[in-house]
Amino acid sequence: MMLVEIWMMLVQSVWKQLVQWCGSEFDGLLVFDECHKAKNLIPEAGSQPTRTGKAVLEIQEMLPQARVVYCSATGASEPRNLGYMVRLGLWGDGTSFENFHQFLGALEKGGVGALELVAMDMKARGMYVCRTLSYKGADFDVLEAPLEERMMNMYKKAAGLWVELRVELLSAIEYYAEDKVNSAQIWRLYWASHQRFFRHMCMSAKVPAVVRLAKAALAEEKCVVIGLQSTGEARTEEAIAKYGVELEDFVSGPRELLLKLVEDHYPLPPKPDCVQQDEEKVMEFQRKRHYGPDVSLKGRVSKLGKLEDVSDDGVEEYPPPESDHESTDSEEEFYMCQICNTEEEKSSLLYCSVCAACVHPGCLTPPWTDTLTDDWSCYSCKEKVENYFKERDAYLTELSKRYDAAVERKSKILDIIRSLDLPNNPLDDIIDQLGGPDNVAEITGRRGMLIRASDGKGVIYQARNTKDVALDMINMHEKQQFMNGEKNIAIISEAGSAGVSLHADRRVKNQRRRLHITLELPWSADRAIQQFGRTHRSNQTSAPEYRLLFTNLGGEKRFASIVAKRLESLGALTQGDRRAGPSLSAFNYDSNYGKKALTMMYRGIMEQDAFPVVPLGCSESQANLEEFITKAKAALVSVGIIRDPVMCNGKNGGKLTGRIIDSDMHDVARFLNRILGLFPDIQNRLFDLFTSILDLVIQNARTEGQLDSGIVDIKAKSVEMKESPKTVHVDTLSGATTVLYTFTIDRGVSFELANAILEERLKDEAGSSSDGFYESRKEWMGRRHFLLAFEGSTEGMYRVIRPAVGEASREMPLVELKSKYRKVSSVDKVGKGWQEEYDASSKQCMHGPKCKLGSHCTVGRRLQEINILGGLILPVWGAVEKALAKQVRQIHKRIRVVRLETTNDNRRFVGLIVPNSAVESVLEGLQWVQDIDD
């Protein structure tokens, strides 16, 4: 801690010297390189701003005249990471947002599309430049690494042990923990260790797949880079400290982590303390139970003299005491016997050393005949002292039994953990299976490693550095050996790979194509991009192949979910396109849709609502569904999501009940973290149910037009600009303009074109038996509707083309298709109905001439007018938001970013779509309109 504080003092001293050297009037250029280090200035709730973030903000405040450049390869992976970029002018005086929190709220509400707009807006003002190395030629693939049989058995036993440990801790805390604050800390450590433990298990499960991929790549004359985040060095060093430098086998990271949790944090009762002397115990006992009386004559007279009682007539009943100097010394030699109340000289009375009572030896029952001692105590005090010692001894004996029992229980748990079959540290295991340190370049932050002993019996610990290479240069030495081709495998961690280039550089000897295997994804998108960038750089002979490994465990998708969510934000913020760079969008579960899906799943499990989809394996009978719900409840209880469980007795037997707190109902991250500790079968069933509900939620949002998919491409048969664009705002600083464009689009598909599409499918023999024209089973607005359907990229899912709106944005399941439509074989019937709908949709929406929105409604209309607000958007954001809030239809209230390309001159436009009914309101908010000069 002291070293950290000293280092921070040095850092603060340096930047204060910088500010002092520049002077408050400095108006030169200030460049913040690697500025993403300051991204946590505005952290999430419950966290504190980092010192780096605060320092960057303070420098800008202390040098108000300085020009500022923010430079980073991964500037912001989410909107709150922009907090330190105060010079951008995106919030504050003269903008639509009073402060950063308002700006952040607008972006979060606007979704990914709003982030894309911010990037484009900054480019329009000339304040932002973004360049990225193309991923052309790079090959991305997500591979599943199923758990092998031995690993599956390990995982099941480990999951069972964690459940038992939780029950044991609940019991131990209930009986032994006296400090509730401390018990809360135990649970925080428990769940943190739980997450790290199963992340280690997932990494270890992928080791066989990594080794197979690496050996296959080497056989194909490629070289291999393996990326991970944690090296397990702390666990290894703890094991070395306990067992020595020579071990029978590699250290198991999960085992050492679990041992440390139990050894350091298992609650024990207070340890019996017998250090104090018995006499001190007696005195403490007596001080609490006795009051020493004043028994001397002088004392009685003194007390009597202090009485101030007054008679009814106001005359004092007792005369005032004599002055102290008139008393004689003889009064101090006489004491009163507490039994017979006669005065005697002190030497003639027994004096109790405990309660200070004075008695004649003969007044006692039985009389005292033994020798008088200084520590004599009366019969009453002696009995109390003896009883005290008996009670104390009984208490200490009971305390000792409780303590010994708790220690024994703790020892048994530790013995069970030590006997458990758990995997080795993945890093050491991979290096060993791929030929050891002679074949593998290790670029990590570790100081030492475990290697196989020369005789093959056991392993030994050795330092990574040698006599010729210092520890601080060992990573550069290993990197050079890899680039020279002396080693064709490299393992990199976050701690050791910063700034390291491992690509197929034209200037180095090793120009083999790189196979980059990601064993463990980083927690954040910017770190993921940084790791991908180790093997993909300029001046390379070939782009790398990326292989992202995942187990078949549902809970592991948690780690991909974090990165996927932030990769989308990173691409949107940096390049104005969420699709830029590598994509893991299929794993983005921690979204608003994911939270809604999780709530629906929990309510189904708690039997508060019906499941929106049938859980896997429950379609056959109600009994199967009830069995699944019972298993799901028990599983969620075991990982602490369902709290206060109670078994209720009903007509059909016992039923488990409990509660899920509100904050957990939509906490996708916690759900995915916790289910890692479940048995694989129920873990995957819960995850499959969650993803099935999520798919349905997304599908419904798409159908209702509420899906946040970033910038939406508007596709139509014809897109033409209707009238001259209008400038509605000019930025006073940059001169950039906000422009309103109006387009006319024709989305329809004629029957001739639809029939040609179907014939082409049939000619190529690429279709299925269900491909063809369909007629609606029910009438709508007095007529039946027609569509063309053919199987898409996924079996059972069909692409749909309608006369008025062309191809639908979502594919329709075959079951839904056949329930709502029936196949039609008569070409004449289809042609007539198709053409009628095609012609009618050019003039009115699908609701008919009596539609409440009149000409403003565009649902099902083939010919439409679309208004797009392009150019500079952020300055007019507030006006647009207010205008849209007044709209009747829910879909029109949300800010949506669209992109289209005109068909007559191929010009591309990107901006906010403004509904026809909102145009006047938007223009009133912007106050003035001016035609653009030709």
Side-chain angles (χ1 to χ4, degrees), residues 56-90:
V56 168
L57 182 64
E58 287 181 32
I59 290 174
Q60 295 176 88
E61 290 174 348
M62 297 177 76
L63 300 175
Q65 303 300 321
R67 278 80 165 165
V68 175
V69 172
Y70 305 106
C71 180
S72 173
T74 50
S77 56
E78 53 182 311
R80 67 176 62 252
N81 295 160
L82 296 169
Y84 65 93
M85 299 185 184
V86 292
R87 296 296 183 87
L88 295 179
L90 301 178

Side-chain angles (χ1 to χ4, degrees), residues 816-829:
E816 180 185 350
L817 177 66
K818 289 190 173 182
S819 67
K820 296 180 178 179
Y821 299 86
R822 56 172 171 259
K823 195 173 182 181
V824 181
S825 56
S826 172
V827 176
D828 293 338
K829 182 179 180 182

Side-chain angles (χ1 to χ4, degrees), residues 168 171-172 176 266 404-414:
E168 179 64 34
S171 176
Y176 303 141
Y266 184 88
D404 292 342
V407 170
E408 185 179 356
R409 291 174 72 173
K410 177 179 177 179
S411 298
K412 286 182 179 178
I413 295 171
L414 292 172

Side-chain angles (χ1 to χ4, degrees), residues 333-485:
E333 300 297 327
F334 291 88
Y335 288 81
M336 180 177 287
C337 173
Q338 299 287 314
I339 297 176
C340 66
N341 291 329
T342 59
E343 293 184 3
E344 288 284 355
E345 292 184 359
K346 183 177 181 181
S347 58
S348 302
L349 299 174
L350 293 174
Y351 182 79
C352 179
S353 61
V354 178
C355 66
C358 296
V359 295
H360 289 104
C363 291
L364 295 171
T365 304
W368 180 265
T369 58
D370 294 339
T371 306
L372 184 62
T373 59
D374 292 337
D375 59 349
W376 180 85
S377 58
C378 62
Y379 293 152
S380 175
C381 289
K382 185 176 182 180
E383 183 181 358
K384 290 178 180 178
V385 170
E386 288 175 353
N387 289 338
Y388 163 75
F389 279 119
K390 287 180 182 178
E391 292 175 3
R392 189 205 64 174
D393 291 343
Y395 170 73
L396 291 178
T397 301
E398 181 63 27
L399 198 63
S400 182
K401 286 181 180 178
R402 290 180 71 232
Y403 182 78
D404 292 342
V407 170
E408 185 179 356
R409 291 174 72 173
K410 177 179 177 179
S411 298
K412 286 182 179 178
I413 295 171
L414 292 172
D415 290 340
I416 292 172
I417 296 171
R418 293 189 185 100
S419 65
L420 203 63
D421 185 18
L422 291 172
N424 297 329
N425 178 20
L427 178 56
D428 290 324
D429 207 4
I430 291 172
I431 293 175
D432 181 58
Q433 293 191 47
L434 292 177
D438 293 337
N439 293 334
V440 181
E442 179 183 338
I443 307 173
T444 69
R446 294 201 302 179
R447 295 186 294 270
M449 66 176 76
L450 289 173
I451 62 169
R452 187 75 59 185
S454 57
D455 57 2
K457 297 179 181 179
V459 296
I460 58 173
Y461 179 82
Q462 72 173 27
R464 287 184 59 212
N465 60 307
T466 63
K467 294 181 179 179
D468 301 327
V469 183
L471 182 61
D472 58 348
M473 293 300 295
I474 190 64
N475 282 342
M476 295 305 297
H477 177 71
E478 293 282 290
K479 173 232 173 184
Q480 202 58 46
Q481 286 186 309
F482 176 77
M483 299 300 275
N484 289 341

Side-chain angles (χ1 to χ4, degrees), residues 772-787:
F773 289 102
Y774 285 78
E775 178 187 35
S776 63
R777 293 183 180 273
K778 297 180 179 180
E779 288 189 354
W780 173 261
M781 299 302 296
R783 66 171 184 268
R784 298 188 186 274
H785 296 265
F786 295 85
L787 58 80

